[in-house]
Amino acid sequence: MRILLFLLLLPIQVFSQPGVDIWVGDFDVKTFEVLGLENLTNRPGYDNQPYFLPDGSGFLFSSDRNGKDTDLFQFDFESGKSRQISNSPASEFSPQLIPGKEGYS
């Protein structure tokens, strides 16, 4: 019975996009504890692949807001808000800054 149940649920797991959020906290290296853990993208859908900005102001991430494709967003720690920075017909993944340029890829 367990095998049958697994086989029935497998297609759902393979083809569904899970709700994924980005959590951020402080790590205490002395006690190996995560402190102040906070869900910064608390919404239904896919928010993943954070790239933390070198200046510490926030991070770039990939997000599915329409259920069809992913675009890139930037989260700002000071305001606590995210803004969309790409809007293309194809999905965008793994954002990062372009070295030596004022842009992202």
Side-chain angles (χ1 to χ4, degrees):
M1 186 64 154
R2 289 183 182 177
I3 294 173
L4 177 60
L5 182 59
F6 174 75
L7 292 176
L8 291 174
L9 292 176
L10 185 60
I12 294 169
Q13 292 295 327
V14 171
F15 296 108
S16 66
Q17 184 86 321
V20 178
D21 290 314
I22 298 171
W23 293 73
V24 175
D26 295 313
F27 183 72
D28 185 328
V29 295
K30 292 179 182 177
T31 63
F32 292 97
E33 290 182 278
V34 177
L35 308 168
L37 194 59
E38 187 177 359
N39 185 343
L40 298 181
T41 60
N42 190 12
R43 55 170 220 87
Y46 177 88
D47 298 307
N48 205 347
Q49 303 176 350
Y51 171 84
F52 290 90
L53 298 171
D55 65 3
S57 64
F59 58 88
L60 307 178
F61 65 103
S62 180
S63 182
D64 178 358
R65 304 285 170 111
N66 61 14
K68 297 177 184 174
D69 56 15
T70 59
D71 282 302
L72 302 182
F73 287 75
Q74 181 173 351
F75 185 89
D76 179 67
F77 287 129
E78 188 174 323
S79 69
K81 296 182 180 181
S82 60
R83 67 181 178 91
Q84 188 169 354
I85 58 173
S86 77
N87 186 7
S88 65
S91 288
E92 305 284 341
F93 294 101
S94 302
Q96 56 185 298
L97 295 179
I98 299 172
K101 305 264 185 195
E102 287 192 29
Y104 59 88
S105 67

